[in-house]
Amino acid sequence: MTLRVLVTNDDGIAAPGLAELARAAVDRGLDVVVAAPREEASGSSAAMTAVEEDGQVVVHHQSLPELPGVPAFAVGGSPGFI
């Protein structure tokens, strides 16, 4: 059984450190999913807020070129919510 891990941060989906951490997990054979705020959200890590449209939390599939095949999502929400 492969261990699945969620890689997230409070610096946003485009933060270079997020991709580096996810790459390290992939290189160790883990099943990685990335989900992070769509924008930088430092200082709001414990907040439980989200952006909704039509009653659904805003989530966009995000391509991370350095991590082909790894599902990644930009979430309209605080890190604690994600």
Side-chain angles (χ1 to χ4, degrees), residues 35-66:
R38 61 184 179 179
E39 299 172 356
E40 192 276 331
S42 295
S44 65
S45 296
M48 297 294 284
T49 59
V51 176
E52 293 185 13
E53 288 178 3
D54 299 322
Q56 301 289 319
V57 174
V58 175
V59 177
H60 297 283
H61 187 267
Q62 182 79 29
S63 175
L64 299 177
E66 57 277 285

Side-chain angles (χ1 to χ4, degrees):
M1 177 174 81
T2 302
L3 183 63
R4 175 173 283 171
V5 296
L6 172 65
V7 176
T8 189
N9 68 7
D10 64 356
D11 293 325
I13 192 75
L18 182 70
E20 290 177 26
L21 179 59
R23 167 59 55 207
V26 167
D27 289 348
R28 283 161 183 76
L30 299 171
D31 181 10
V32 175
V33 175
V34 176
R38 61 184 179 179
E39 299 172 356
E40 192 276 331
S42 295
S44 65
S45 296
M48 297 294 284
T49 59
V51 176
E52 293 185 13
E53 288 178 3
D54 299 322
Q56 301 289 319
V57 174
V58 175
V59 177
H60 297 283
H61 187 267
Q62 182 79 29
S63 175
L64 299 177
E66 57 277 285
L67 295 168
V70 173
F73 304 92
V75 182
S78 64
F81 180 84
I82 296 166

